[in-house]
């Protein structure tokens, strides 16, 4: 790679795209950091040899050509659909637009609200953190911006559909969801990531949440990227005084995936609740760092991760609860549980507590093993066939996260995907 030529191409493409000069400069700086920085480390999971970057990266913007069939929605629904780099549909009822809510494509928001967006974009997740975050900003090519003003309480979820366009080769999907929840606001976000097309492409997906004092953000995501999509994701929330962020994630990607979920409890009395389930099949490799960091006093952080492994897959859950010095009366609890359905799979559930304060509560639980034979015997003794009994046990094992997803439609869709993966995985 010719670094000078590649950087010049990056700057030229961003400028022609009509981006603010400040963003073009940040892209160039991120490229410099990408060249010099290192890959992040993940305990017990080595992904250093994954081809997460294009050999000769180039920033390009091209509308997706295929039509997308939009689902029927209620007139009052709040919804944005994005296919590749194209924002296909935005539905924001007038009552919420009049209240100051903003929902639009990220680059449209950068043009219409440059100061608001530029001041927050990749300041919660910084491009200088590592090679992956630097690459994400340098080659960011799609995304969504959601802003909820002070005191506004949305009474229905904001649905965001991100569809990766893999109908052609060399179409990287570097998408970013930026959410700003001002003081005492309340909202629920349902994100669904899918793939159209069968070409092998990379995905770099990022979510930043600025949850200001007294706000409440419930973020649910159903990740269902394709079997040819090598994926990196990073999701982080800065949680202010007496604010709360709830994560509920169903990780059902078909290819190798590595990612981080972070809750930064910055303000006093903040709460972070992180629930995640993952199902791995075939030779798939998945590694997850799920971290809650207590900065403020009287903060509460919970992690609940559950994984099901099939075939020869490998899944690593690292649950990290960190209480820094001065975070008095913090409460950090976590569970990391892995259910192994094949003798050839490999699972790791690693609870990690980093505590630098005395006046705190912290606890953890971890388990890795096969289906409970007592449960299986109970079900089979009542005439339930073994495959059906195994599905029932797995559904019960994952129920605590499935039940946390607020929309019934999304819950049912997650269950359907789970059943399909279990069947395709030859359970």
């Amino acid at each position: 790679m010719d670094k000078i030529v590649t950087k010049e191409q990056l700057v030229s493409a961003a400028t022609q795209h009509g981006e603010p000069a400040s963003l073009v400069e940040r892209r160039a700086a991120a490229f410099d950091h990408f060249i010099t920085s290192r890959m992040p480390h993940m305990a017990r999971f080595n992904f250093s040899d994954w081809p997460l970057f294009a050999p000769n990266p180039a920033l390009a913007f091209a509308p997706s050509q295929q039509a997308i069939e939009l689902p029927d929605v209620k007139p009052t629904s709040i919804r944005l659909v994005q296919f590749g780099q194209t924002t296909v549909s935005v539905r924001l009822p007038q009552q919420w637009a009049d209240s100051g809510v903003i929902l639009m494509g990220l680059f449209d928001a950068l043009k219409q609200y440059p100061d608001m967006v530029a001041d927050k974009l990749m300041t919660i997740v910084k491009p200088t953190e590592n090679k992956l975050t630097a690459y994400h900003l340098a080659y960011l090519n799609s995304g969504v911006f959601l802003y909820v003003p002070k005191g506004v309480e949305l009474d229905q979820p904001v649905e965001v559909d991100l569809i990766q366009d893999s109908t052609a080769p060399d179409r990287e999907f570097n998408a970013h969801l930026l959410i700003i929840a001002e003081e005492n606001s309340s909202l629920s976000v349902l994100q669904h990531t899918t793939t159209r097309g069968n070409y092998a492409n990379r995905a770099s997906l990022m979510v930043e949440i600025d949850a200001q004092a007294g706000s409440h953000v419930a973020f649910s995501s159903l990740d269902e990227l394709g079997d040819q999509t090598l994926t990196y994701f990073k999701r982080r929330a800065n949680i202010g005084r007496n604010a709360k962020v709830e994560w509920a994630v169903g990780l059902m990607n078909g290819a190798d995936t590595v990612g981080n979920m972070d809750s930064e409890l910055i303000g006093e009395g903040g709460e972070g609740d992180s629930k995640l389930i993952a199902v791995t099949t075939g030779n798939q490799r998945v590694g997850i760092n799920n971290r809650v960091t207590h900065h403020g006093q009287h903060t509460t952080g919970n992690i609940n991760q559950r994984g099901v492994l099939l075939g020869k897959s490998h899944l690593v859950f690292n649950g990290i609860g960190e209480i820094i010095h001065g975070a008095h009366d913090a409460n950090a609890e976590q569970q990391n549980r892995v259910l192994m359905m094949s003798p050839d799979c490999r699972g790791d559930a690693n609870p990690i507590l980093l505590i630098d304060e005395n006046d705190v509560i912290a606890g953890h639980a971890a388990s890795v093993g096969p289906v409970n034979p007592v449960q299986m015997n109970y079900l089979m003794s009542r005439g339930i066939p073994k495959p059906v009994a195994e599905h029932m046990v797995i559904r019960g094992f994952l129920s605590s996260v499935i039940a946390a997803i607020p929309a019934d439609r999304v819950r049912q869709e997650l269950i359907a995907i789970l059943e399909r993966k279990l069947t395709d995985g030859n359970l």
Side-chain angles (χ1 to χ4, degrees), residues 59-249:
L59 181 64
F61 295 95
S64 297
Q65 301 300 322
Q66 292 195 7
I68 292 292
E69 183 178 348
L70 298 176
D72 293 332
V73 295
K74 298 177 181 179
T76 57
S77 295
I78 307 172
R79 190 185 188 103
L80 183 146
V81 179
Q82 202 166 74
F83 178 35
Q85 300 171 9
T86 303
T87 300
V88 178
S89 172
V90 180
R91 179 185 290 274
L92 180 65
Q94 193 61 44
Q95 69 174 108
W96 300 120
D98 292 342
S99 298
V101 176
I102 301 171
L103 176 66
M104 61 175 55
L106 181 65
F107 291 106
D108 291 332
L110 276 164
K111 293 175 182 178
Q112 295 190 37
Y113 308 97
D115 294 336
M116 181 189 302
V117 180
D119 283 350
K120 289 294 184 182
L121 180 62
M122 289 207 72
T123 58
I124 296 173
V125 177
K126 297 177 174 56
T128 54
E129 291 181 19
N130 56 61
K131 204 173 191 70
L132 290 168
T133 57
Y135 187 84
H136 181 85
L137 178 58
Y139 291 96
L140 177 67
N141 59 16
S142 62
V144 176
F145 176 65
L146 172 61
Y147 166 78
V148 180
K150 181 177 180 180
V152 173
E153 298 182 5
L154 296 179
D155 59 5
Q156 58 189 315
V158 180
E159 300 181 56
V160 176
D161 288 71
L162 301 179
I163 307 169
Q164 178 195 20
D165 184 357
S166 279
T167 58
D170 301 321
R171 289 191 175 179
E172 291 199 353
F173 188 46
N174 300 325
H176 197 101
L177 173 54
L178 175 60
I179 300 171
I180 300 176
E182 287 197 331
E183 293 182 12
N184 300 315
S185 63
S186 177
L187 66 147
S188 174
V189 179
L190 303 177
Q191 176 182 270
H192 190 187
T193 60
T194 56
T195 299
R196 172 174 288 197
N198 298 313
Y199 282 92
N201 282 303
R202 303 169 184 83
S204 174
L205 307 179
M206 199 167 288
V207 176
E208 292 184 292
I209 300 176
D210 178 26
Q212 299 179 14
S215 64
H216 182 194
V217 180
F219 180 91
S220 303
S221 184
L222 178 52
D223 297 357
E224 193 188 356
L225 295 175
D227 294 344
Q228 301 296 318
T229 301
L230 182 66
T231 302
Y232 163 71
F233 73 84
K234 193 172 186 70
R235 293 164 176 155
R236 180 178 294 166
N238 278 0
I239 304 172
R241 178 175 51 83
N242 295 325
K244 183 175 183 179
V245 171
E246 299 175 275
W247 306 93
V249 174

Side-chain angles (χ1 to χ4, degrees), residues 28 53 100 213 243 348:
F53 316 111
D348 292 287

Side-chain angles (χ1 to χ4, degrees), residues 311-322:
K312 297 181 180 180
S313 61
H314 179 197
L315 171 65
V316 172
F317 279 153
N318 293 318
I320 306 166
E322 182 173 9

Side-chain angles (χ1 to χ4, degrees), residues 357-380:
E357 184 57 57
N358 294 319
D359 184 19
V360 299
I361 299 173
H364 64 80
S367 65
V368 177
V371 172
N372 188 326
V374 174
Q375 293 176 332
M376 288 295 297
N377 289 336
Y378 176 84
L379 293 171
M380 293 174 65

